[in-house]
Amino acid sequence: MDRVSSFDEPLKKLLGGATAKVMAEHLDLHTVGDLLHHYPRRYEERGKLTALADLPLDEHVTVVAQVADARILMFNNGRGKRLEVTLTDGSGRLQLVFFGHGVHKPHKELLPGRQAMFAGKVSVFNRKMQLAHPTYQLLDASDADEATEAVDAFAGRLLPIYPACKQLDSWRIAKAVDAVLPSAQDAVDPLPASLREGRGFTPLPEALLKVHRPQTKADIEDARARLKWDEAFVLQVALARRRYADTQLPAAARRPVADGLLDAFDAKLPFTLTEGQEKVSKEIFDDLATEHPMHRLLQGEVGSGKTMVALRAMLTVVDAGGQAAMLAPTEVLAQQHHRSITEMMGELAEGGVLGGSDRGTKVVLLTGSMGMAARRQALLDLVTGEAGIVIGTHALIEDKVQFHDLGLVVVDEQHRFGVEQRDALRSKGKQPPHLLVMTATPIPRTVAMTVFGDLETSVLDQLPAGRSPIASHVVPAKDKPHFLSRAWERVREEVGNGHQAYVVCPRIGDDAEEAEGKGGKKAKAKKAAPEEDGDKRPPLAVLEIADELRKGALAGLSVEVLHGRMHPDDKDDVMRRFAAGDVDVLVATTVIEVGVNVPNATAMVIMDADRFGVSQLHQLRGRVGRGSAPGLCLLVSEAHEASPARARLSAVAATLDGFELSRIDLEQRREGDVLGQAQSGVRSSLRMLTVIDDEEVIAAAREEAVAVVAADPELEHLPELRTVLAALLDKDREEYLDKG
């Protein structure tokens, strides 16, 4: 068998069809290589008991514990039988329950004092944690041959506990790993020899043996250090090659022109740019002046002035004879950007119009819901070059849209855009246009290096002068209902002082199953975790809450609604009236999450705040305190005090630092989620590396990867690295990185 093919061997050849089928369907493991890279989640020491106190609800767990007592109970007038077993580990207790004919074997085997491994899904019954019908394996039955075998099979003293599923327990996975472990000798080592020796890494076959069957804790450390490096390095090489390929593409250099549109715009600004805005603008102008396409990620806190920086870049491109397109995820946001950009530019946005500036250009809006005549005119202005700037939604990507000379694409809130869409817009230039991606979701440096590793990153972390602080408080509606009454009083006080307020709800209403997802799309309402919501009520809805407020707590005030199912004209009308101050309170879904800018809005009440993610709450909160008056954000929740949901809300209330919150968010969701979303559903290749904890590994791997690719872009002298890259970059993932 040659070196590569033993890793490509289908599992069914070695494990039999039934096991291989479960592994493929439930764990996404198909080949010997997949299984060898399915690493233990943790290790149990023989005799050391797991903390039963920390069991996560609704997850499939494996625990090692001791039987404290076991009893058979009758129910249904003696017709039904139930075996209840209590486990203990010194930290807590856990109940097991078996029913019907399933009670006989465990009743004979699970005697007090016995120790075993148990696997099952954790649920709550009568306020007690329990596993119903768990599978188990005895560890201390000295007289039973199979128990002795079990102990021997689990490699001495450290028991590997594998990520498992209901259909396949950790110890069955361990047995399957035993069957494929000899193939570890055939592992293709991706690290260049000089790098491996320079950093003193364990050889790869040895690392795989040590991670699956460690003799000591030092073995585990060795193996993890090596395997983390491989993951970080291979991914960073893929990204470095992508960046290198981008530098080989041609693009038109767009250099600033003296006394052009940009200078005229800067001269009429009523304020000075922050240091951060100056610095980031310089980075962008330097990129635009080169003859290969800029690929830059601009991340800035809510209100840090990203739009201003992007607009100055767009004006530079127009000065240099090109056109700039800004892509927004929703119509509300596209209209908002169009409004604020034309206001900022004034007569400079009326090129060719009577009363407009002779240095000006046309700024057009293009969205799916525009009338035919307006749309035809906008398309004409683009193809003739009359319009230097276009702002729009996905409608900009349609085949019909042709540009005179597209020089720059600005994508707002990138994580809401499919990579295919970004690519389609880029293909509209005569040469690839420059690309600026903006996000107000702060991204920790390591995630930026991993998820957006093909983009150079600029960060705006100063707030412009005149922005006010936002006070945030959690309102425990269940424990202290009078706090909620006080929240509505505070809204009335703000309106009484001439200000306005938002009330945000997770769902639109009318239909209990529908909630509004990101970007105004309909999605299933997120079910609350059982421990957090005993009555399982659906999330609160815009239409219902608005109705209640009009009749009750906010009677007499002007209360309007805004959500994704409204006609675009109606949405725009409500937003205009709110911006003009004609509406006191806007009850909305997350459609207001990004970009909505009403400086007079000072208060926000977020209903069922525990149903939103940390970053989303931070985004929403950024809609208030945008003027000179201080902002107030009230996070209303029925989650009980000790729940993880409340801890999350307290973290949001405690800091306005988005980078700190994004760290907390990432620690809670772990990185699979972050990478999974960003890779449009492509399976994450990170199994050992944790993006949040391994910053040093990722940064060092990036440096090494850049050096390797600079010296040998095609990796001609590193065939092993090429082989491993080819395996990592299956078609989907290669496309993901391609579209960046």
Side-chain angles (χ1 to χ4, degrees), residues 525-561:
K526 167 183 166 287
K527 269 187 148 171
E531 90 277 20
E532 287 171 24
D533 201 353
D535 56 3
K536 295 262 177 63
R537 66 163 173 74
L540 294 170
V542 166
L543 301 177
E544 291 148 24
I545 291 291
D547 212 34
E548 280 174 33
L549 292 175
R550 285 187 193 114
K551 291 175 186 160
L554 302 182
L557 301 186
S558 157
V559 177
E560 294 274 1
V561 301

Side-chain angles (χ1 to χ4, degrees), residues 334-565:
Q335 287 158 345
Q336 171 93 28
H337 276 316
H338 183 254
R339 241 194 330 269
S340 62
I341 283 173
T342 47
E343 277 165 17
M344 282 195 269
M345 287 176 65
E347 75 281 2
L348 296 173
E350 295 166 1
V353 177
L354 201 61
S357 161
D358 54 353
R359 281 188 288 187
T361 185
K362 253 192 185 182
V363 178
V364 298
L365 175 70
L366 189 62
T367 62
S369 65
M370 280 168 76
M372 272 314 288
R375 187 179 169 76
R376 201 171 291 127
Q377 185 59 51
L379 291 170
L380 188 65
D381 289 341
L382 284 180
V383 78
T384 59
E386 188 84 7
I389 294 177
V390 59
I391 295 149
T393 54
H394 302 64
L396 279 179
I397 299 162
E398 289 171 13
D399 291 343
K400 293 190 204 89
V401 182
Q402 297 300 321
F403 289 85
H404 177 65
D405 180 12
L406 180 61
L408 170 67
V409 175
V410 178
V411 180
D412 191 22
E413 290 304 324
Q414 186 274 345
H415 56 286
R416 293 152 178 268
F417 263 108
V419 282
E420 295 81 6
Q421 295 159 325
R422 229 159 74 187
D423 207 40
L425 192 55
R426 269 165 54 177
S427 67
K428 291 186 177 290
K430 293 173 183 166
Q431 293 183 327
H434 298 281
L435 176 69
L436 178 65
V437 166
M438 302 199 297
T439 177
T441 306
I443 303 163
R445 178 168 165 257
T446 42
V447 179
M449 282 194 288
T450 323
V451 179
F452 300 104
D454 57 332
L455 300 169
E456 299 300 329
T457 304
S458 295
V459 178
L460 273 177
D461 48 14
Q462 279 172 296
L463 287 188
R467 287 299 298 260
S468 303
I470 305 169
S472 306
H473 304 283
V474 178
V475 178
K478 209 168 196 172
D479 314 342
K480 299 178 179 166
H482 60 284
F483 275 36
L484 185 56
S485 314
R486 176 71 190 120
W488 299 127
E489 278 170 33
R490 283 291 290 114
V491 170
R492 274 190 175 282
E493 286 163 20
E494 290 297 313
V495 173
N497 292 332
H499 297 302
Q500 293 157 279
Y502 298 100
V503 176
V504 182
C505 303
R507 199 164 56 90
I508 299 173
D510 284 346
D511 178 355
E513 274 302 291
E514 280 183 359
E516 187 157 340
K518 290 228 161 184
K521 291 191 176 66
K522 289 180 279 180
K524 287 272 167 127
K526 167 183 166 287
K527 269 187 148 171
E531 90 277 20
E532 287 171 24
D533 201 353
D535 56 3
K536 295 262 177 63
R537 66 163 173 74
L540 294 170
V542 166
L543 301 177
E544 291 148 24
I545 291 291
D547 212 34
E548 280 174 33
L549 292 175
R550 285 187 193 114
K551 291 175 186 160
L554 302 182
L557 301 186
S558 157
V559 177
E560 294 274 1
V561 301
L562 181 72
H563 58 74
R565 290 212 300 260

Side-chain angles (χ1 to χ4, degrees), residues 532-646:
E532 287 171 24
D533 201 353
D535 56 3
K536 295 262 177 63
R537 66 163 173 74
L540 294 170
V542 166
L543 301 177
E544 291 148 24
I545 291 291
D547 212 34
E548 280 174 33
L549 292 175
R550 285 187 193 114
K551 291 175 186 160
L554 302 182
L557 301 186
S558 157
V559 177
E560 294 274 1
V561 301
L562 181 72
H563 58 74
R565 290 212 300 260
M566 287 164 65
H567 188 279
D569 292 350
D570 297 339
K571 275 193 266 196
D572 200 36
D573 176 54
V574 170
M575 243 1 272
R576 272 179 197 282
R577 288 188 295 115
F578 188 65
D582 301 337
V583 173
D584 298 324
V585 179
L586 188 63
V587 184
T589 54
T590 54
V591 288
I592 62 153
E593 181 186 346
V594 283
V596 173
N597 183 22
V598 180
N600 191 45
T602 53
M604 176 177 283
V605 180
I606 303 180
M607 307 303 291
D608 275 345
D610 47 284
R611 313 250 183 169
F612 298 97
V614 170
S615 296
Q616 207 173 20
L617 290 168
H618 182 58
Q619 288 290 327
L620 287 165
R621 169 172 64 184
R623 301 300 110 215
V624 295
R626 299 178 79 84
S628 52
L632 172 70
C633 178
L634 300 174
L635 306 165
V636 180
S637 167
E638 292 189 0
H640 60 75
E641 213 166 339
S643 67
R646 271 288 281 281

